Amino acid sequence: MSARTGGGRCGMPRTTPRDWIRAAERGAPEEQWTLLCFLARRDVEIDETELHAAIRRAELLLAAGGDPHRPLELYGRAVTALADDLDEPPAREQLAAGLDALTTEVAGLRGATEALRLLRSDGDLAWQCFAMALLADALTGDD
């Protein structure tokens, strides 16, 4: 999910959060939610050692479940285990603040505004989507 990869309409690169949000508006709700949490993650502080260990455990769960390259499932074992491993009240509060900070990015985008409203009202869903975003990012190898 690097902001430098992929292209928008007419071959224009998606370089701003709003570009990515606009592009995801026609996607599945889970993809929209995960993208918003991916963008909000910059406000969440998690110890790097703890993060890498939790991601490694989630990757092992994916591999143990068969094809490690199959699409991630929001409530699958790997994503849920990662969410549980990293779940701390301060991190959840930071994610909520990061989501709040996206309000201006979604202004005027009806689908994204609704997706953000849902995430802000459902902390458990937001945390699960955050874990999915972290795992997806780790699996792409884009750091």
Side-chain angles (χ1 to χ4, degrees):
M1 283 192 173
S2 173
R4 292 187 199 116
T5 61
R9 288 187 192 162
C10 304
M12 295 181 66
R14 295 182 195 122
T15 58
T16 68
R18 187 171 176 87
D19 293 336
W20 282 99
I21 293 166
R22 185 180 304 125
E25 268 206 306
R26 292 190 181 100
E30 285 182 8
E31 291 174 8
Q32 293 177 51
W33 304 334
T34 302
L35 174 65
L36 290 169
C37 290
F38 177 82
L39 294 172
R41 84 192 188 295
R42 64 182 164 239
D43 293 327
V44 181
E45 295 178 17
I46 296 175
D47 177 76
E48 284 296 314
T49 302
E50 179 184 349
L51 176 61
H52 290 298
I55 287 175
R56 182 68 182 137
R57 287 189 294 274
E59 290 172 336
L60 290 172
L61 283 172
L62 279 176
D67 180 7
H69 301 292
R70 70 185 178 279
L72 295 177
E73 297 174 10
L74 183 59
Y75 290 99
R77 287 179 55 208
V79 173
T80 298
L82 181 58
D84 290 345
D85 280 351
L86 299 177
D87 197 359
E88 295 290 335
R92 281 185 177 239
E93 291 170 12
Q94 292 164 353
L95 178 61
L99 290 168
D100 288 344
L102 291 175
T103 301
T104 57
E105 298 291 348
V106 303
L109 302 173
R110 193 175 74 197
T113 298
E114 180 60 23
L116 184 60
R117 185 201 60 74
L118 176 63
L119 290 169
R120 290 170 68 197
S121 69
D122 187 340
D124 291 335
L125 175 63
W127 191 253
Q128 195 75 15
C129 291
F130 171 71
M132 187 158 160
L134 291 175
L135 186 54
D137 188 45
L139 293 173
T140 64
D142 292 346
D143 290 328

